[in-house]
C-alpha cells in the first residue's frame, strides 16, 4: 500500500482510510471494530477508479466496544502505577463486519496516519499490538496481515476453534474462550435436557463451520442426533431462509442450535416471525445470546425462552459515565457520533426529502433504554475489550521494567525502551498475568483464555421486552462432569413454559420394551417393541431385553423377573376333590368290609369265599388310599411310592379277584363227576396263587426302584413361565411293564370270568367279575392316551382319577349286588336261593 516513488522520494498512499478515532502516545495500539454491519460493494468494471467499499448499518454495540477501548487507554494513561511516564495511543478502524473490509482495516492500521506523518517512509508506524477483531472470519484475515510483521493481536470476540493452530496464527491472542468449550457445553446442555433430536443452523463463516463441526464431534457417542444442518447464506437471501424455515417447521426437532451473529440473525428472524412457526426452542451461541437488538417486545413470542452460553461479564465502573460524554455537541464533526444519534433516535443530521427523518437536535438525552449503546450494567464483549487493552498495558509495563542483564531475550537482554518491537511485546503478552475485579487474566500457550460461560435465558421483562437472566454457568476448568451448573427452576422455556420442551425423534421406550432402530434412519429414530416373554427390560430406552435367570420368568408387563410359579397337584380344588373321593372310597370299602364281617355267617358271604372277599376289600382300601400319594409336592419318597404302591395294591387286588374267578370256575366244574379240581384249589393254594402273582409285580417294582427309580423333576419345558413339579418315571420301560402286568392280570381274569359267566346258579359271581374287569380295562385303556397327553401336574390327576374310577368300578361291581342282598333282601340270603335250587 505504501509505494515509494523513487524519482521524488515522496511517499504516497494508494488509498487512504482514515482511522475513526486516534490518540497519540509513546506507544500506539490499533483497534479494529465492526462499527457497521453491512457493506455495499462498488462495481468493479475498472473504467474508473473503483470507489472504496461503502459501509452501511451503524452498529451502536460495536461503537460501545470502541469507546470502551478508548476509556481503557485513558484510564491507563491516568494510572500512575501502570506505564508511568509513558502514554498509550490508539488508532481505531472500522472493519464493517466483513473479511474484505477487515483486511482493509488491518492494512490501514499498519500504515502511517498520512503522508505528512512520514514523508520519506523511513520509519514504520509505531504500532505495537492490535485489539481486534470481532468475528472470527475477519480475525483470520487480520491475523494473516499482521503475521509477517510479528504484531500481536488480541481478539475480544473471535472464538473460533481454528485459532488454536499456533502455526497458522502465531501472533493471535484472545480474551474469549475457545469454541471447543462452548460446543462441549452445548452438547452437555442437550444431553442434560434430553433433547435428542435437534436442528443446527449456522451462518456462512469460519465461526459457524468450526462450531458445527465441533458440536457434531461432541455429540458423537451421546444419544443426541442432528435432524438437519442448515446454513444462512452470507449474502442474506430470503428464498433460502424460507426454505430453512420450512425444514424447521416440518421437523420433529423443536430445539434449534444456532451459531450465528446478530448481523445475519436479524433479517432471518424478521422473516421467521412472519412465518408463524411456534414451539421452537432456540439454543443461542455466545455471538447472539446477549445481543440487545433482540430485546424488543415484538421478539418475545418467538424468542422468549432462548437459552445459550454467554461470555463472562464484568464491571467497568466508569463506562456508563464515559459513554454519556459522547454526543454530537462534543464531537460535532464526527460522522460516527452522528450515525449513533441517527440509530438511537431515528433522526437525521442531514435531513433530506428522501429519508423523511426529523432532524436531530443533538441534545437528546442518552438513556438506559438505548440499550444497544447504553447497556452498561453487565458488559461482556466490552469487558473483553477492556481486558485486552489492559493485557497490552501490563505486558508493556513489564517489558519496560525489565532489569538490564536479566531480560528474557538473547544474552539476557531487555528490549530497548525507545524502540520496542512488536515481537518483544508478544513475549511479554504470553507471560502476562494480572487481575481485574479479582478475575485473573492470562493466556495459555495457544493464546486462549479461561473457559468460563454464563448460561443466559431469555425471559419476559416487566415491559414485555426480553431480559437476559443468568441461570447457571459452565466452568471449563472444573473436572469433567462438574462443569455445568444449571438452576433449572429459574429457567423459562420457549412458549413461556416452565416445563422443559421435548425434542425427540421417537418417544422413549418404556420399561418392558426395547428400541428397534429403523433401517436407514439415525439411531435417535426408533420403534419400541415389547420384550418377548421370558425377557425383560427394566429401564426406559433399553437397547435390549434381557433373559430372566433360570427359575425366573417375566411378569406380564415385562418389567421384572419374578420367580416362576411352581405347580403340582396341590391341595387346591382338584386336589381336595381327589382326596375326598379317595377317602370316601376307602370308607365305603371299609363299610362293606364291616357289613361282610358282621354277616360273615350268612350264605352269600360264605358261598362267595369270605376270605378272598376280605382280601379284595383290603386291597381295594389300599387302592383308594394310594391315590392320595399323587397329591402334594412330589418328593424323593413320594415319587418312588406313587407307582409302586399303586401297582402292587392293584396287582394284589386283581390277584385276589383272579383267585376268586378260579375258585368259581373250579367250584362249578367240580360239580361234574370225576373232577376233583377243588382239591387243587384249597385256601392254601389260593393264597399261593394270590401271593405269587403279586410277587411278580413286587419283583418288577423292586427292579425298577433299584435300577432307575422315579424321581421328582422340575419340568420347565412344558410351559416356560411355570415350573411343573412332577415325578419323572425314571425307567419308562419299567413303568409300562408295571402297567402291562396289571393289564395282563386283568385280561386273564376277564377271560376266565367270561368262561364262567354261563355257569348255573342264581348268584353267579363270574358275571360280576366279568363286568368289573370290563370296566377296569375300559378305565385303564382310556387312561393311557389321557395320561400321555396331559400336561405335567394334570398327568398325576389323571392317574389318580383312573385309580379311583377303577377302584370304584371294582367295588361296585363286586360288592354292590351282595350288599344289596345282605342288607335289603335278607330273605334271598340262603344257600338254596343262591344255588338256584329254591322252590318257587
Ligand atoms: N464468536 C463469534 C466469532 O468468533 C462472534 C462473532 C462476531 C460473529 N461477529 C460475528 C459470528 C459475525 C458470526 C458473524 O466469530
Amino acid at each position: 500500500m505504501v509505494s515509494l516513488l523513487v524519482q521524488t522520494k515522496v511517499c504516497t498512499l494508494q488509498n487512504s482510510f482514515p482511522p475513526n478515532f486516534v490518540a497519540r502516545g509513546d506507544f500506539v495500539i490499533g483497534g479494529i471494530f465492526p462499527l457497521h454491519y453491512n457493506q455495499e460493494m462498488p462495481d468493479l468494471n475498472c473504467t474508473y477508479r473503483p470507489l472504496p467499499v461503502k459501509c452501511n448499518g451503524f452498529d451502536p454495540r460495536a461503537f460501545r466496544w470502541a469507546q470502551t477501548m478508548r476509556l481503557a487507554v485513558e484510564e491507563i494513561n491516568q494510572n500512575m502505577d501502570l506505564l508511568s511516564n509513558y502514554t498509550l495511543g490508539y488508532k481505531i478502524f472500522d472493519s464493517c463486519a466483513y473479511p474484505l473490509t477487515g483486511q482493509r482495516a488491518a492494512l490501514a492500521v499498519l500504515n502511517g496516519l498520512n503522508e505528512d506523518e512520514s514523508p520519506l517512509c523511513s520509519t514504520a508506524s509505531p504500532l505495537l499490538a492490535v485489539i481486534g477483531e470481532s468475528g472470527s472470519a475477519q480475525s483470520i484475515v487480520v491475523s494473516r496481515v499482521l503475521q509477517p510483521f510479528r504484531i500481536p493481536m488480541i481478539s475480544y470476540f473471535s472464538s473460533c476453534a481454528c485459532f488454536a493452530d499456533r502455526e497458522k496464527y502465531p501472533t493471535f491472542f484472545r480474551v474469549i474462550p475457545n469454541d471447543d468449550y462452548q460446543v462441549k457445553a452445548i452438547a452437555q446442555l442437550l444431553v442434560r435436557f434430553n433433547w435428542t433430536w435437534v436442528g443446527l443452523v449456522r451462518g456462512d463463516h469460519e465461526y459457524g463451520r468450526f462450531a458445527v463441526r465441533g458440536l457434531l464431534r461432541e455429540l458423537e457417542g451421546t444419544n443426541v442426533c442432528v435432524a438437519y444442518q442448515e446454513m444462512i447464506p452470507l449474502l442474506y437471501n430470503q428464498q433460502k431462509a424460507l426454505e430453512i424455515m420450512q425444514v424447521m417447521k416440518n421437523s420433529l426437532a423443536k430445539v434449534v442450535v444456532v451459531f450465528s451473529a446478530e448481523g445475519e440473525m436479524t433479517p432471518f428472524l424478521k422473516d421467521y416471525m412472519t412465518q408463524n412457526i411456534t414451539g421452537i426452542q432456540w439454543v443461542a451461541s455466545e455471538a447472539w445470546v446477549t445481543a440487545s437488538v433482540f430485546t424488543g417486545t415484538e421478539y418475545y413470542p418467538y424468542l422468549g425462552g432462548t437459552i445459550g452460553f454467554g461470555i463472562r461479564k464484568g464491571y467497568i465502573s466508569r463506562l456508563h459515565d464515559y459513554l454519556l460524554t459522547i454526543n454530537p455537541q462534543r464531537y460535532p464533526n464526527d460522522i460516527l457520533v452522528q450515525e449513533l444519534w441517527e440509530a438511537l433516535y431515528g433522526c437525521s443530521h442531514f435531513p433530506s426529502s428522501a429519508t423523511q427523518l426529523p432532524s436531530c437536535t443533538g441534545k437528546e438525552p442518552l438513556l438506559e433504554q438505548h440499550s444497544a449503546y447504553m447497556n452498561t450494567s453487565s458488559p461482556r464483549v466490552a469487558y473483553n475489550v477492556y481486558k485486552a487493552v489492559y493485557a497490552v498495558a501490563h505486558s508493556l509495563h513489564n517489558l519496560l521494567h525489565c532489569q538490564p542483564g536479566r531480560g528474557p531475550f538473547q544474552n539476557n537482554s531487555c528490549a530497548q525502551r525507545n524502540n520496542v518491537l512488536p515481537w518483544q511485546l508478544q513475549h511479554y503478552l504470553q507471560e502476562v498475568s494480572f487481575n481485574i475485579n479479582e478475575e485473573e487474566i492470562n493466556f495459555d500457550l495457544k493464546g486462549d483464555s479461561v473457559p468460563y460461560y454464563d448460561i443466559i435465558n431469555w425471559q419476559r421483562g416487566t415491559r414485555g421486552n426480553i431480559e437476559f437472566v443468568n441461570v447457571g454457568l459452565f466452568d471449563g476448568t472444573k473436572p469433567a462432569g462438574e462443569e455445568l451448573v444449571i438452576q433449572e427452576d429459574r429457567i423459562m422455556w420457549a412458549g413461556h413454559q416452565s416445563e422443559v420442551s421435548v425434542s425427540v425423534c421417537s418417544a422413549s421406550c418404556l420399561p418392558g420394551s426395547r428400541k428397534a432402530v429403523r433401517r436407514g434412519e439415525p439411531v435417535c429414530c426408533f420403534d419400541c417393541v415389547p420384550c418377548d416373554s421370558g425377557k425383560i427390560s427394566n429401564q426406559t430406552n433399553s437397547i435390549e431385553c434381557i433373559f430372566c435367570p433360570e427359575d425366573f420368568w417375566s411378569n406380564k408387563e415385562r418389567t421384572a423377573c419374578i420367580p416362576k410359579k411352581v405347580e403340582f397337584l396341590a391341595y387346591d380344588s382338584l386336589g381336595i376333590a381327589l382326596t375326598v373321593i379317595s377317602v370316601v372310597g376307602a370308607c365305603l370299602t371299609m363299610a362293606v368290609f364291616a357289613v361282610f364281617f358282621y354277616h360273615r355267617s350268612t350264605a352269600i358271604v360264605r358261598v362267595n369265599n369270605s376270605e378272598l372277599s376280605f382280601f379284595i376289600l383290603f386291597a381295594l382300601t389300599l387302592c383308594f388310599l394310594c391315590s392320595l400319594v399323587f397329591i402334594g409336592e412330589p418328593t424323593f419318597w413320594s415319587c418312588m411310592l406313587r407307582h409302586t404302591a399303586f401297582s402292587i395294591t392293584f396287582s394284589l387286588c386283581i390277584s385276589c379277584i383272579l383267585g376268586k374267578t378260579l375258585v368259581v370256575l373250579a367250584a362249578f366244574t367240580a360239580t361234574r363227576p370225576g373232577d376233583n379240581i377243588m382239591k387243587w384249589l384249597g385256601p392254601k393254594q389260593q393264597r399261593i396263587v394270590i401271593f405269587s402273582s403279586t410277587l411278580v409285580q413286587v419283583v418288577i417294582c423292586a427292579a425298577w426302584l433299584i435300577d432307575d427309580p422315579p424321581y421328582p423333576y422340575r419340568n420347565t419345558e412344558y410351559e416356560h413361565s411355570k415350573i411343573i413339579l412332577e415325578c419323572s418315571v425314571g425307567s419308562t420301560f419299567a413303568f409300562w411293564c408295571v402297567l402291562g402286568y396289571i393289564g395282563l392280570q386283568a385280561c386273564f381274569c376277564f377271560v376266565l370270568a367270561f368262561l364262567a359267566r354261563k355257569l348255573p346258579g342264581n348268584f353267579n359271581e363270574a358275571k360280576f367279575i366279568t363286568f368289573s374287569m370290563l370296566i377296569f380295562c375300559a378305565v385303564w385303556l382310556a387312561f393311557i392316551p389321557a395320561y400321555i397327553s396331559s400336561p405335567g401336574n394334570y398327568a398325576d390327576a389323571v392317574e389318580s382319577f383312573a385309580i379311583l374310577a377303577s377302584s370304584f368300578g371294582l367295588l361296585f361291581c363286586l360288592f354292590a349286588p351282595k350288599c344289596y342282598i345282605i342288607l335289603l333282601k335278607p330273605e334271598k340270603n340262603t344257600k338254596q336261593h343262591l344255588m338256584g335250587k329254591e322252590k318257587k
Side-chain angles (χ1 to χ4, degrees), residues 134-136 157-160 176 205 207 260-261 264 286-287:
S134 166
S136 297
F157 209 5
S158 297
S159 53
C160 177
I176 182 170
H205 35 60
Y207 166 68
S260 171
E264 59 231 347
E286 103 296 339

Side-chain angles (χ1 to χ4, degrees), residues 567-582 627-628 630-632 791-801 804:
E567 275 199 0
F568 51 85
L569 185 53
Y571 289 99
D572 51 13
S573 41
L574 185 62
I576 289 173
L578 285 173
T579 315
V580 169
I581 296 172
S582 76
S627 79
L628 289 178
F630 287 81
I631 308 167
N793 50 334
Y794 291 105
D796 291 337
V798 167
E799 192 165 351
S800 208
F801 261 116
L804 292 176

Side-chain angles (χ1 to χ4, degrees), residues 420-465:
V420 178
L421 299 172
W423 62 264
Q424 294 172 323
L425 182 68
Q426 163 149 10
H427 174 88
Y428 282 93
L429 262 178
Q430 189 71 66
E431 312 279 271
V432 80
S433 176
F434 60 99
N435 286 320
I436 297 180
N437 298 341
E438 274 148 44
E439 182 198 335
E440 195 184 308
I441 293 142
N442 53 27
F443 301 102
D444 69 8
L445 286 177
K446 288 176 176 171
D448 282 340
S449 62
V450 193
Y452 178 96
Y453 295 97
D454 285 329
I455 303 177
I456 311 275
N457 180 219
W458 292 18
Q459 302 189 359
R460 181 149 64 188
T462 38
R463 283 175 286 119
N465 58 327

Side-chain angles (χ1 to χ4, degrees), residues 677-736:
I677 234 168
M678 272 320 269
K679 242 196 256 154
W680 296 99
L681 260 180
K684 210 164 156 204
Q685 285 81 357
Q686 286 170 19
R687 272 177 232 149
I688 290 172
V689 167
I690 294 168
F691 182 73
S692 50
S693 63
T694 313
L695 190 67
V696 174
Q697 186 72 301
V698 173
V699 169
I700 299 175
C701 283
W704 184 9
L705 289 188
I706 290 166
D707 185 48
D708 194 0
Y711 55 90
Y713 172 67
R714 301 162 74 88
N715 184 345
T716 48
E717 279 100 66
Y718 181 73
E719 210 175 310
H720 289 296
S721 61
K722 291 178 187 166
I723 300 178
I724 295 175
L725 278 187
E726 55 182 30
C727 285
S728 173
V729 290
S731 161
T732 341
F733 175 72
F735 175 69
W736 291 114

Side-chain angles (χ1 to χ4, degrees), residues 736 739 743 747 773-788 798 802 806:
W736 291 114
L739 284 191
C747 290
M773 282 303 122
L774 261 179
I775 292 182
F776 186 86
C777 291
V779 168
W780 285 98
L781 279 178
F783 157 78
I784 292 170
Y787 180 81
I788 289 174
V798 167
S806 52

Side-chain angles (χ1 to χ4, degrees), residues 353-510:
S353 50
T355 52
Q356 305 227 315
L357 289 173
S359 78
C360 302
T361 63
K363 286 192 187 132
E364 291 85 356
L366 272 175
L367 297 171
E368 204 68 48
Q369 77 216 41
H370 298 118
S371 55
Y373 175 64
M374 275 315 286
N375 181 359
T376 53
S377 56
S378 55
R380 293 174 193 271
V381 183
Y383 184 57
N384 278 354
V385 173
Y386 189 76
K387 286 196 284 194
V389 178
Y390 268 89
V392 174
H394 278 278
S395 312
L396 200 54
H397 182 88
N398 295 346
L399 180 144
L400 295 171
H401 285 81
C402 167
Q403 287 189 351
R406 291 222 205 129
F409 305 117
Q410 224 166 19
N411 302 328
N412 296 339
S413 61
C414 291
Q416 277 180 293
R417 289 191 190 164
N418 52 3
N419 189 19
V420 178
L421 299 172
W423 62 264
Q424 294 172 323
L425 182 68
Q426 163 149 10
H427 174 88
Y428 282 93
L429 262 178
Q430 189 71 66
E431 312 279 271
V432 80
S433 176
F434 60 99
N435 286 320
I436 297 180
N437 298 341
E438 274 148 44
E439 182 198 335
E440 195 184 308
I441 293 142
N442 53 27
F443 301 102
D444 69 8
L445 286 177
K446 288 176 176 171
D448 282 340
S449 62
V450 193
Y452 178 96
Y453 295 97
D454 285 329
I455 303 177
I456 311 275
N457 180 219
W458 292 18
Q459 302 189 359
R460 181 149 64 188
T462 38
R463 283 175 286 119
N465 58 327
I466 289 178
E467 263 172 22
F468 304 140
V469 180
N470 207 334
V471 292
L473 58 91
F474 179 88
D475 187 347
T477 56
K478 288 266 171 69
E482 289 171 27
E483 300 121 312
L484 197 64
V485 179
I486 307 182
Q487 293 164 295
E488 251 178 78
D489 45 319
R490 292 186 53 198
I491 304 179
M492 204 76 221
W493 298 105
H496 203 73
Q497 226 123 54
S498 49
E499 294 281 295
V500 186
S501 346
V502 178
S503 187
V504 294
C505 183
S506 311
S508 22
C509 294
L510 296 176

